[in-house]
Amino acid sequence: MLAHLQERGEALSHCLVGEPTNPEKLGEMVKVGRRGSMYFTLTVRGKQGHVAYPERADNPVTRLVAMLHALKSAPIDGGSEFFPPSNLEITTVDVGNPTGNVIPAVAVAQVNVRFNDTQTAHSIERWVRARLAPFGGCELALRITGESFLTKDMALAELVAGAVKDVTGMTPQFSTTGGTSDARFIKDHCPVVEFGTTGATAHMVDERVGVETLEKLAEVYGRVLERYFAQ
């Protein structure tokens, strides 16, 4: 859709994304940016053998564990004004070895990095490769799902925050917490902020939101439009 609008020469002035932004109660939080996200798959290859003769084998699990420790034991950065420090999490370690007395030939792990606006996917890749370099051979595959961004139009954020306060009586916090959202695509076309319903049950069984919360949210959106076009 964004590419189609661009082809037609239609420019967007601003965008408000209705992502659930409030942890518990409507009015708590407006998102003014998002962390970037990327995945790394580490594949370490060794030599299969009997555990009683380790000198005849090469255990990839030992090297993989050392690599993962190196990735987790050092901070990536110290964060910035609106962002917490970038964070790496190990999400899975897979060996597929059902036998307790056999050294496997291959070990695989996956990590995810959520990074702030002091980093790019390229700089995170360099950091990961530098941490792994002392351990020798490792196959590293990566997938980028979004770069970090911070809206440069804080006037839009202030306008939305004012509308939120008008309706809820609360002054929302400007935040960049949480996962990725569709705002990461829109930010290349126009300033964007996010405000939506509550997300206390996000991605849970029976995910839900109160009807009264939706009704208040509709009021907030109406007030945003009034404030926006008045300016």
Side-chain angles (χ1 to χ4, degrees):
M1 182 191 73
L2 291 166
H4 182 61
L5 289 174
Q6 198 168 30
E7 288 171 4
R8 291 176 52 170
E10 294 190 32
L12 304 177
S13 300
H14 296 92
C15 182
L16 173 60
V17 173
E19 183 84 12
T21 57
N22 300 280
E24 299 291 340
K25 187 176 180 181
L26 190 73
E28 293 175 306
M29 191 173 288
V30 171
K31 305 286 188 182
V32 294
R34 290 282 186 165
R35 294 176 296 175
S37 176
M38 62 190 306
Y39 295 86
F40 293 90
T41 301
L42 290 70
T43 302
V44 180
R45 301 187 185 278
K47 182 179 179 182
Q48 183 176 321
H50 197 294
V51 295
Y53 305 99
E55 69 279 3
R56 299 178 184 174
D58 176 18
N59 194 333
V61 181
T62 303
R63 281 187 286 135
L64 180 61
V65 169
M67 290 175 176
L68 295 176
H69 177 70
L71 292 176
K72 281 295 293 181
S73 61
I76 300 174
D77 54 54
S80 63
E81 181 181 0
F82 284 100
F83 287 84
S86 299
N87 183 62
L88 180 147
E89 289 296 330
I90 302 164
T91 56
T92 184
V93 179
D94 301 295
V95 180
N97 182 11
T99 307
N101 66 346
V102 174
I103 294 171
V106 181
V108 180
Q110 188 174 90
V111 301
N112 176 264
V113 182
R114 297 297 168 109
F115 56 93
N116 58 46
D117 61 342
T118 69
Q119 306 285 352
T120 64
H122 184 59
S123 68
I124 293 295
E125 180 186 358
R126 287 201 313 268
W127 184 89
V128 168
R129 290 189 183 277
R131 297 294 296 173
L132 297 178
F135 301 96
C138 170
E139 297 171 19
L140 190 66
L142 62 93
R143 179 167 61 94
I144 303 164
T145 54
E147 293 281 359
S148 64
F149 74 93
L150 181 68
T151 183
K152 294 179 174 61
D153 188 349
M154 292 306 291
L156 175 62
E158 294 287 356
L159 183 147
V160 173
V164 172
K165 188 172 184 179
D166 287 349
V167 175
T168 68
M170 300 175 64
T171 300
Q173 173 190 359
F174 292 152
S175 174
T176 59
T177 58
T180 56
S181 75
D182 286 345
R184 69 188 189 275
F185 306 112
I186 299 166
K187 55 93 175 170
D188 294 327
H189 295 261
C190 69
V192 57
V193 299
E194 301 173 57
F195 182 78
T197 185
T198 53
T201 58
H203 292 357
M204 295 182 184
V205 174
D206 296 330
E207 182 174 354
R208 61 196 179 278
V209 62
V211 172
E212 67 281 359
T213 301
L214 292 178
E215 292 171 344
K216 282 289 184 185
L217 181 60
E219 290 184 43
V220 171
Y221 288 158
R223 189 70 185 118
V224 167
L225 293 174
E226 291 171 0
R227 279 174 165 261
Y228 186 85
F229 289 107
Q231 294 183 19

